[in-house]
């Protein structure tokens, strides 16, 4: 059976890929098999992966909101746009959880011109600048022009003293982060130039997906018990991660949720923060 991917490519439907993605949501194997069985019966020639995902998401949500929330991660990260400002804050949160000091949106003077840096991180006295490339469209990819451009900015800043976390500090590393993917040329150039890349699926064992699953650092846009408008209000209140809601239920009152709804949201948030996955 042929299906159509987001990119427009036509590929074979592989039930095993669907099964693996459902298991990673935390759903137990029996529920997963039931969902795969139902979807296999509904599959038809030329169906889109978007339609398959929507159906799987709906079936998961009937079983547990938190399972659907995990399954919805990639789409949830895309809701941190459209400008990507909240995506930059989210990335800082991911690195903060790994014991980095972080700062967002700092302007630094280079040798030639000044530069606004999306995220700066510090660990073991090494400071890295991060350029965040946010894409609203799932099909978009960061090509080789991105590391070429970012490398020129890095070269203009490195070797100069800056006041970032304290006085007289130097930037020694450079990262590029995207919510989608990098082209092969972009990866090759970054490797050759000593730059670090982070995307939805790169590096293989330490990408955005694995960082979320291992440390339960899910963005609040994952939650299925909130509307998009309510998620936007929480982001404006600087509530970026689901974990931050658990000890900050006042923020749910501030955006106008009733007590019963607050209980439902917190229930999903706690379940989503347990990180018990069938991987």
């Amino acid at each position: 059976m042929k299906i159509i991917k987001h990119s427009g490519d036509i590929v074979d439907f592989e039930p095993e890929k669907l099964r693996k993605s459902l298991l990673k949501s935390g759903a137990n194997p029996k529920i997963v098999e039931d969902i795969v069985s139902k979807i296999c019966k509904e599959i038809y020639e030329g169906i889109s992966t978007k339609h398959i995902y929507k159906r799987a998401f709906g079936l998961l949500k009937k079983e547990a909101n938190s399972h659907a929330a995990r399954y919805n991660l990639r789409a949830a990260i895309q809701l941190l746009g459209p400008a990507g400002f909240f995506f930059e804050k989210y990335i800082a949160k991911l690195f903060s959880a790994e014991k980095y000091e972080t700062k967002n949106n700092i302007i630094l003077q280079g040798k030639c011109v000044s530069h606004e840096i999306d995220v700066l991180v510090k660990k073991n006295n090494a400071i890295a600048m991060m350029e965040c490339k946010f894409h609203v469209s799932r099909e978009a990819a960061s090509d080789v022009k991105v590391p070429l451009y970012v490398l020129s900015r890095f070269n203009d800043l490195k070797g100069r003293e800056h006041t970032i976390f304290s006085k007289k500090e130097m930037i020694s590393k450079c990262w590029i982060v995207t919510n989608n993917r990098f082209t092969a040329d972009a990866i090759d150039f970054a490797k050759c130039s000593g730059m670090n890349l982070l995307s939805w699926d790169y590096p293989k064992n330490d990408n955005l997906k694995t960082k979320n699953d291992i440390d339960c650092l899910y963005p609040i846009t994952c939650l299925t018990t909130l509307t998009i408008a309510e998620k936007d209000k929480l982001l404006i209140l600087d509530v970026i991660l689901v974990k931050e809601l658990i000890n900050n239920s006042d923020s749910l009152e501030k955006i106008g949720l009733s007590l019963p709804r607050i209980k439902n949201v917190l229930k999903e948030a706690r379940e989503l923060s347990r990180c018990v996955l069938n991987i």
Side-chain angles (χ1 to χ4, degrees), residues 133 135 140-144 146-147 176-178 180-183 186:
K133 291 299 178 184
H135 299 287
S142 294
D143 62 21
V144 71
V146 175
I176 307 173
V177 185
T178 181
N180 278 3
R181 64 181 184 86
F182 293 102
T183 63

Side-chain angles (χ1 to χ4, degrees), residues 105-128:
N105 305 111
I106 302 294
I107 296 176
L108 298 176
Q109 181 61 47
K111 180 181 178 181
C112 302
V113 296
S114 62
H115 305 268
E116 183 174 1
I117 310 302
D118 296 333
V119 185
L120 285 150
V121 299
K122 180 180 180 180
K123 191 175 186 180
N124 299 326
N125 293 319
I127 297 176

Side-chain angles (χ1 to χ4, degrees), residues 38 42 50 63 86 129 151 187 216 229 234 274 276 279:
K38 287 178 181 177
E42 298 171 4
K50 183 178 180 179
E63 297 298 333
F86 295 116
M129 59 172 279
L151 181 62
I187 292 172
C216 281
L234 285 173
R274 288 175 188 157
V276 181
I279 297 176

Side-chain angles (χ1 to χ4, degrees), residues 7-40:
S7 62
D9 293 339
I10 299 173
V11 297
D12 290 325
F13 171 63
E14 299 181 46
E16 187 57 29
K17 284 187 176 180
L18 175 62
R19 184 177 289 107
K20 285 181 178 179
S21 66
L22 290 167
L23 284 170
K24 287 180 179 180
S25 75
N28 71 55
K30 184 179 183 306
I31 290 173
V32 168
E33 289 308 317
D34 287 345
I35 292 174
V36 172
S37 176
K38 287 178 181 177
I39 289 177
C40 284

